[in-house]
Amino acid sequence: MDIRKQMDDIYRKLPLEKIPWNVTKPPALLVKAVESGKIQPCRVVDLGCGAGNYSIWLAQRGFEVTGLDISMEAIRIARRQAEDAGVDCEFQMIDLLGDVSAYESQFDLAIDWEVLHHIFPDDREQFVGNVRRMLRPGGIYFSLCFSEKDPGFGGEGKFRDTSIGTKLYFSSEEELRSLFSPLFEIEELRTVEIEGKYGPHLVNAAWLRRE
């Protein structure tokens, strides 16, 4: 399945409220990080921004936001929602496994909220390498993806199918440490419970720094 076509079809055919990852309320982990000052207004890239909900929320709090997504349909929705909200965000379609040279060393912060579990192991080094390329030295990468301990979508196995036809990869902390450590300093990596659209999930949450 062509992932770009699949995502375009989802955003074209499903109402936003039926897309599992489209949550309008900003996640508590992100809110806490901003309100505590752990992350402060800076130039941020929202990886896999979807309909732009979190990009817009960050822009409303003084961040200079670029949202990137593989789906042009998602980007169209994000641009419209930002205009409706009266905020200035840049939204662009891009394959995050492809050429990201236009964003080389452009950002202080990269947020990957539930994108990595859409990327399978063979492509993950490329993805994480591209995130590093987009960050300035000292930049922070906040990554969150489903834990293999999570009981969702059947509750077992590394690869699991969703109700809307996507396939996800559920990770362990150990494999993520192996993935991240060659390129980033791991400041924190732990399994936590977050509130999902239809119930709680166990996720791997990582705070990483580009050296």
Side-chain angles (χ1 to χ4, degrees):
M1 169 69 75
D2 181 321
I3 187 66
R4 175 174 284 139
K5 181 180 185 303
Q6 184 182 45
M7 290 298 169
D8 277 341
D9 285 347
I10 287 170
Y11 281 101
R12 187 182 300 115
K13 296 176 181 178
L14 289 181
L16 287 179
E17 61 269 19
K18 297 293 186 183
I19 299 175
W21 58 80
N22 186 71
V23 180
T24 56
K25 181 181 177 182
L29 276 180
L30 182 59
V31 172
K32 183 179 179 181
V34 172
E35 291 184 347
S36 70
K38 185 172 185 174
I39 54 177
Q40 299 183 6
C42 62
R43 190 164 188 204
V44 55
V45 59
D46 184 3
L47 304 166
C49 64
N53 299 318
Y54 305 158
S55 293
I56 292 166
W57 184 84
L58 287 165
Q60 290 170 332
R61 281 146 186 83
F63 290 79
E64 183 182 349
V65 186
T66 297
L68 304 177
D69 202 281
I70 198 169
S71 168
M72 193 64 233
E73 291 298 322
I75 293 299
R76 289 192 184 101
I77 295 168
R79 288 172 178 168
R80 183 177 69 243
Q81 294 203 137
E83 183 177 358
D84 290 345
V87 298
D88 184 18
C89 297
E90 177 187 353
F91 292 108
Q92 296 293 337
M93 183 188 75
I94 190 172
D95 181 354
L96 292 168
L97 297 177
D99 180 9
V100 298
S101 58
Y103 298 103
E104 189 89 23
S105 299
Q106 291 295 305
F107 301 105
D108 306 297
L109 172 66
I111 294 177
D112 155 20
W113 189 273
E114 299 190 344
V115 174
L116 189 58
H117 54 231
H118 290 274
I119 298 171
F120 298 162
D122 287 350
D123 293 322
R124 285 186 163 191
E125 286 186 15
Q126 177 70 24
F127 175 75
V128 173
N130 277 350
V131 176
R132 187 181 190 279
R133 290 181 190 98
M134 289 188 278
L135 285 170
R136 296 168 177 155
I140 294 294
Y141 172 24
F142 178 31
S143 173
L144 185 139
C145 65
F146 284 152
S147 167
E148 65 176 5
K149 298 176 182 177
D150 185 77
F153 307 107
E156 59 184 25
K158 304 290 281 185
F159 292 94
R160 305 184 201 175
D161 296 319
T162 74
S163 61
I164 61 170
T166 56
K167 186 182 288 288
L168 307 179
Y169 183 83
F170 286 62
S171 305
S172 69
E173 287 187 25
E174 292 74 21
E175 66 188 303
L176 291 176
R177 287 186 187 279
S178 296
L179 173 67
F180 294 139
S181 59
L183 296 176
F184 291 92
E185 176 188 350
I186 300 174
E187 296 190 341
E188 182 180 337
L189 198 165
R190 59 195 178 99
T191 302
V192 299
E193 184 177 272
I194 64 165
E195 190 60 38
K197 192 164 189 173
Y198 304 117
H201 290 291
L202 289 177
V203 297
N204 303 292
W207 289 92
L208 314 162
R209 184 179 297 274
R210 179 185 169 181
E211 299 176 343

